[in-house]
Amino acid sequence: MPVTAFELPERHKYQNGFGSYFETEAVSGALPIGQNSPQKPPYGLYAEKLSGTAFTAPRHENQQSWLYRILPSCAHPPFASIADGPYKSEKPSDPARLQYIPNQLRWDPFDHDEGSDFVSGMRLVAGAGDPTLKQGIGIYVYAAGQSMDDRSAFYSADGDLLIVAQEGALDIRTELGWLLVRPMEICVIPRGVRYQVHLPSGPARGYALELYQGHFTLPELGPIGSNCLANARDFQAPVASFSEDFGATASEGPNSYTITAKFNNSLFQTSQPHTPFDVVAWHGNYYPYKYDLGRFNTIGSISYDHPDPSIFTVLSALSDHPGTAVADFVIFPPRWLVAEGTFRPPWYHRNTMSEFMGLIAGDYDAKKGGKGGFVPGGASLHNVMSGHGPDANSFEGARAADLKPALVGKGSCAFMFESCLMVGVTDWGLKSCRKVQEGYSDESWGGVRVHWKRPGDA
């Protein structure tokens, strides 16, 4: 069934489409007609442009939205640095803080954190590049036990954040509207968009990738045709929603709202006496969105051999070299395997790309589960040219399997953040989290058997 059966029902309305130009108003008539910045926007609103690309970016790449809000976002006192943020000591731009090693790594499930909210519960595991140059990525895990305060908001100036929910739902209020993100859903919060995360079903845990350069796109389909993989119609964007909490001017108001900014992987804060969630209407193509992974239309071989895993790409962030991604988001959902005379799991591999994998639910067909295995809430990293593939038992099972049609991954979904960049690991990822499986390599491949037999006439 190509729709996930979620435990938590949907609570918001959306606009459907990927990369579409949307318009939405929470009050009828709030959107100007025929122009973007009239002398007096309707109802006394302020017009504010939100640019996700340079003004002169090619039309097919240009991303921007016009927001019509009660007060402009610039109306706040200066930001001040806060020293206790989760990013402060783990800057990807500081080479001394990242360790680049060729070893295969795997982590047990990361701990829950009952005392943290979404922002304070974020931990940088690995990364590459420099957000000040708008180059690279950051790979995170998050664990939250509390909703963010109703009078708070967070944004990142460093990049777009792709969130992969693993346990617990996230009810995300953004300037442009609400998104409910449940396990088996993903969302993307663009650079600069302010948001607030609530936990409607209790503690939450998951993964995230911050993209310092460009934006995610749908992969080209080539000879596949015009449909399949992630279809554009299945992506959902919010409708306008706003609050009224303000005084006679921007410096007056009955309440105080804390705004936290992530800027070059450091945190800064300011307080303002008016709500940041005051966008009454907006139009454009720069907005947050979500996607149900259960709607992914999987492609596979119906003759022989296992295709490259690129056929499972949901979203791609392209580099300046065609066909090479700064970041691909790839999933391994339930699927039928029917290839004849074929070793059906993913083959042994050394890759010019880095591969960070996580497991949302269930078991992964090429790795054992259970204690010390690849389990939901855990992760693995196979860096540039580090060999990897099925563990010994999985290989033997697939080598001897009866090759009749088989449904694999039922009730399961693994994913991969794949990047052309060599990825460094933080001290937290290697040591402080205390989740690294020290025996991963030996337990996975130390028992790989020798099947080689020299022919008698060789």
Side-chain angles (χ1 to χ4, degrees), residues 235-259:
F235 288 81
Q236 297 181 301
V239 296
S241 175
F242 72 102
S243 294
E244 295 176 278
D245 192 358
F246 48 85
T249 70
S251 59
E252 304 172 72
N255 296 302
S256 178
Y257 289 81
T258 300
I259 312 298

Side-chain angles (χ1 to χ4, degrees), residues 415-457:
F415 75 89
M416 179 166 64
F417 297 146
E418 186 178 47
S419 175
C420 64
L421 305 174
M422 185 177 289
V423 172
V425 186
T426 62
D427 287 339
W428 187 87
L430 280 177
K431 300 173 184 177
S432 302
C433 71
R434 298 183 180 179
K435 296 298 179 182
V436 173
Q437 297 178 5
E438 301 296 344
Y440 169 46
S441 179
D442 184 61
E443 292 170 6
S444 295
W445 304 295
V448 171
R449 295 168 54 186
V450 175
H451 291 282
W452 160 252
K453 293 181 181 179
R454 182 185 289 270
D457 57 351

Side-chain angles (χ1 to χ4, degrees), residues 276-301:
F277 302 109
D278 64 352
V279 177
V280 181
W282 61 268
H283 68 84
N285 63 353
Y286 189 62
Y287 45 75
Y289 56 87
K290 74 167 188 170
Y291 175 71
D292 171 10
L293 299 177
R295 301 187 182 207
F296 187 80
N297 192 346
T298 312
I299 297 294
S301 172

Side-chain angles (χ1 to χ4, degrees), residues 357-379:
M357 287 193 65
L359 189 57
I360 299 170
D363 296 310
Y364 181 54
D365 60 313
K367 295 283 168 53
K368 71 170 186 175
K371 184 175 175 59
F374 186 49
V375 295

Side-chain angles (χ1 to χ4, degrees), residues 194-361:
R194 298 177 179 185
Y195 63 98
Q196 180 187 94
V197 180
H198 300 268
L199 309 182
S201 60
R205 181 176 64 184
Y207 313 85
L209 182 142
E210 189 164 33
L211 178 67
Y212 303 152
Q213 62 189 95
H215 302 288
F216 287 102
T217 64
L218 295 179
E220 297 294 341
L221 295 178
I224 293 174
S226 55
N227 297 108
C228 290
L229 307 188
N231 290 308
R233 66 171 296 211
D234 293 322
F235 288 81
Q236 297 181 301
V239 296
S241 175
F242 72 102
S243 294
E244 295 176 278
D245 192 358
F246 48 85
T249 70
S251 59
E252 304 172 72
N255 296 302
S256 178
Y257 289 81
T258 300
I259 312 298
T260 303
K262 179 173 176 286
F263 201 88
N264 188 25
N265 282 316
S266 295
L267 297 184
F268 297 80
Q269 278 187 351
T270 188
S271 295
Q272 63 186 47
H274 55 93
T275 177
F277 302 109
D278 64 352
V279 177
V280 181
W282 61 268
H283 68 84
N285 63 353
Y286 189 62
Y287 45 75
Y289 56 87
K290 74 167 188 170
Y291 175 71
D292 171 10
L293 299 177
R295 301 187 182 207
F296 187 80
N297 192 346
T298 312
I299 297 294
S301 172
I302 55 173
S303 55
Y304 62 88
D305 282 355
H306 190 297
D308 291 342
S310 49
I311 61 168
F312 302 126
T313 301
V314 180
L315 293 170
S316 187
L318 303 178
S319 71
D320 57 4
H321 188 76
T324 302
V326 174
D328 278 334
F329 175 65
V330 180
I331 64 171
F332 303 94
R335 59 203 181 278
W336 282 93
L337 301 181
V338 299
E340 296 181 318
T342 294
F343 182 77
R344 288 179 173 176
W347 11 256
Y348 292 101
H349 190 207
R350 287 180 296 167
N351 194 355
T352 188
M353 311 282 277
S354 299
E355 302 179 13
F356 178 93
M357 287 193 65
L359 189 57
I360 299 170

Side-chain angles (χ1 to χ4, degrees), residues 41-189:
Y43 309 133
L45 296 172
Y46 286 86
E48 178 178 275
K49 187 170 185 176
L50 179 63
S51 295
T53 55
F55 294 141
T56 53
R59 184 178 284 262
H60 70 280
E61 296 178 359
N62 206 297
Q63 294 190 27
Q64 50 83 33
S65 287
W66 281 93
L67 316 182
Y68 301 93
R69 58 192 317 153
I70 296 170
L71 285 167
S73 62
C74 57
H76 60 75
F79 282 92
S81 176
I82 57 175
D84 59 348
Y87 311 96
K88 184 70 178 180
S89 62
E90 298 169 351
K91 291 186 179 181
S93 57
D94 183 354
R97 295 293 182 182
L98 292 178
Q99 299 186 46
Y100 291 83
I101 56 177
N103 296 335
Q104 304 98 333
L105 295 172
R106 188 160 70 190
W107 290 269
D108 287 326
F110 295 98
D111 290 336
H112 287 281
D113 188 347
E114 298 289 338
S116 294
D117 62 20
F118 179 80
V119 175
S120 61
M122 291 276 280
R123 291 293 178 267
L124 182 67
V125 179
D130 185 345
T132 68
L133 301 176
K134 295 187 176 179
Q135 295 176 349
I137 58 171
I139 297 173
Y140 298 87
V141 295
Y142 69 85
Q146 302 176 3
S147 296
M148 291 174 63
D149 190 278
D150 284 340
R151 296 194 181 114
S152 69
F154 174 79
Y155 77 91
S156 175
D158 292 343
D160 293 3
L161 188 69
L162 166 63
I163 301 171
V164 183
Q166 188 269 318
E167 268 189 6
L170 307 177
D171 200 11
I172 304 176
R173 184 178 198 183
T174 79
E175 293 178 272
L176 285 77
W178 290 83
L179 294 171
L180 179 64
V181 183
R182 300 156 289 187
M184 285 299 292
E185 286 184 307
I186 62 168
C187 75
V188 174
I189 310 291

